[in-house]
Amino acid sequence: LAHKFPIAFIDEFQDTDHIQYSIFKSIYKAEEDTCLIMIGDPKQAIYRFRGADIYTYLAVRKTIPSNNRYSLVNNYRTSKNLLDGINAFFSGKSNPFMAEELEFTSAKFPDTNTNPIVCKKSNEEAPLKLIEFKSSDRSIEYIKNEIANSVAFECIKLLHSELRINDKSLQESDITILVDTHSNAQLVQHTLWKYGLRSIIRNKSSVFNSELANQLYPLLYAISYPKVNGYIKASLLTSFFNVDAV
């Protein structure tokens, strides 16, 4: 294998476990004129649930001579103001990731990049905001609902602002909301719907198992069988109609 593929790239190496690495190590370690290149960022490790081990990455990095380590400094995927805000946030404390092996290195906004977000307001929107909830005496469900409402209000404010992307008005499809669980995604989506904001949840589940599909079933039955009174009543109770009793 090493002779057939003398140069190997392992992308997203932070999601590699020790068994996978041992295989590549056994293939390339003793072979001359070969090269094993590992590309990864431990701060992006998200696959622990399927066996990925961030400590494999950290242990392997220690074995690599410093002159063989390279870092990407420039960030082309964000705006300068947001990048400055993120750098300030994570640089404010030592050991920001609560792991001594994970250091934070500030990224730079390259001079050759252009900022796609242009706000025509005199008081430009802050690129990074933190919302603090002081409700320690409240239930978890109450706090979750408060967070979902705050997210919805922030979306509404942005959509009604003069913020533009590539000289186009901000649209709902320009906004991404990241959550930690599917249940929280559904909570946020229902809250957005409550305020008339359209949204979709990106996941691998079938669209036929979605909440929208459950709402469509009785509506489609009513359209297909308009003379069946039960189907008509069931469709009227869906979220497509503002009816709470029939």
Side-chain angles (χ1 to χ4, degrees), residues 108-147:
K108 296 181 180 179
F109 187 81
D111 296 333
T112 56
N113 201 358
T114 57
N115 187 347
I117 300 179
V118 179
C119 182
K120 293 187 177 181
K121 282 185 175 181
S122 57
N123 54 334
E124 188 171 344
E125 289 283 346
L128 181 64
K129 298 180 181 179
L130 300 178
I131 302 176
E132 183 179 4
F133 291 89
K134 297 181 178 179
S135 303
S136 58
D137 58 331
R138 299 283 189 171
S139 67
I140 294 297
E141 292 304 315
Y142 174 86
I143 295 175
K144 284 184 177 182
N145 281 286
E146 284 295 292
I147 292 174

Side-chain angles (χ1 to χ4, degrees), residues 6-243:
I7 300 177
F9 289 83
I10 304 179
D11 199 9
E12 306 294 353
F13 184 70
Q14 74 277 354
D15 295 323
T16 302
D17 61 35
H18 69 283
I19 296 176
Q20 293 169 325
Y21 172 67
S22 66
I23 294 173
F24 283 99
K25 182 181 178 181
S26 64
I27 294 173
Y28 289 94
K29 184 176 182 181
E31 296 292 335
E32 295 183 357
D33 300 324
T34 62
C35 182
L36 177 60
I37 300 175
M38 295 159 284
I39 308 163
D41 180 358
K43 298 185 294 298
Q44 297 185 37
I46 59 174
Y47 290 111
R48 185 178 180 182
F49 67 90
R50 70 177 191 191
D53 182 5
I54 187 175
Y55 294 102
T56 296
Y57 170 94
L58 297 173
V60 172
R61 187 176 66 173
K62 291 179 180 178
T63 67
I64 307 298
S66 58
N67 60 331
N68 283 347
R69 301 180 194 172
Y70 303 91
S71 297
L72 299 177
V73 178
N74 291 327
N75 187 323
Y76 289 86
R77 294 183 173 182
T78 187
S79 66
K80 184 178 185 305
N81 288 343
L82 178 57
L83 190 60
D84 290 341
I86 293 173
N87 286 337
F89 179 78
F90 285 105
S91 301
K93 270 192 173 185
S94 59
N95 192 17
F97 304 113
M98 301 179 69
E100 295 295 341
E101 303 91 339
L102 297 179
E103 71 278 0
F104 175 75
T105 303
S106 295
K108 296 181 180 179
F109 187 81
D111 296 333
T112 56
N113 201 358
T114 57
N115 187 347
I117 300 179
V118 179
C119 182
K120 293 187 177 181
K121 282 185 175 181
S122 57
N123 54 334
E124 188 171 344
E125 289 283 346
L128 181 64
K129 298 180 181 179
L130 300 178
I131 302 176
E132 183 179 4
F133 291 89
K134 297 181 178 179
S135 303
S136 58
D137 58 331
R138 299 283 189 171
S139 67
I140 294 297
E141 292 304 315
Y142 174 86
I143 295 175
K144 284 184 177 182
N145 281 286
E146 284 295 292
I147 292 174
N149 278 296
S150 295
V151 169
F153 292 152
E154 189 68 24
C155 290
I156 293 172
K157 186 171 72 171
L158 288 172
L159 290 169
H160 287 83
S161 71
E162 297 176 10
L163 195 66
R164 302 177 70 82
I165 298 179
N166 294 334
D167 205 33
K168 294 181 179 179
S169 299
L170 194 68
Q171 303 296 319
E172 292 158 311
S173 58
D174 296 320
I175 299 175
T176 298
I177 301 170
L178 303 180
V179 296
D180 58 345
T181 65
H182 291 301
S183 61
N184 284 337
Q186 293 172 350
L187 171 62
V188 171
Q189 185 178 57
H190 289 161
T191 305
L192 293 174
W193 285 347
K194 182 173 67 175
Y195 294 106
L197 299 178
R198 296 170 296 174
S199 67
I200 60 172
I201 296 178
R202 290 288 181 91
N203 56 41
K204 295 182 179 180
S205 62
S206 171
V207 66
F208 296 107
N209 295 326
S210 66
E211 178 64 26
L212 181 58
N214 291 331
Q215 297 287 321
L216 278 171
Y217 286 143
L219 179 62
L220 292 176
Y221 270 109
I223 294 173
S224 301
Y225 305 98
K227 295 182 179 180
V228 180
N229 194 41
Y231 290 159
I232 299 297
K233 290 184 177 181
S235 68
L236 291 174
L237 293 175
T238 64
S239 58
F240 300 111
F241 305 96
N242 189 23
V243 177

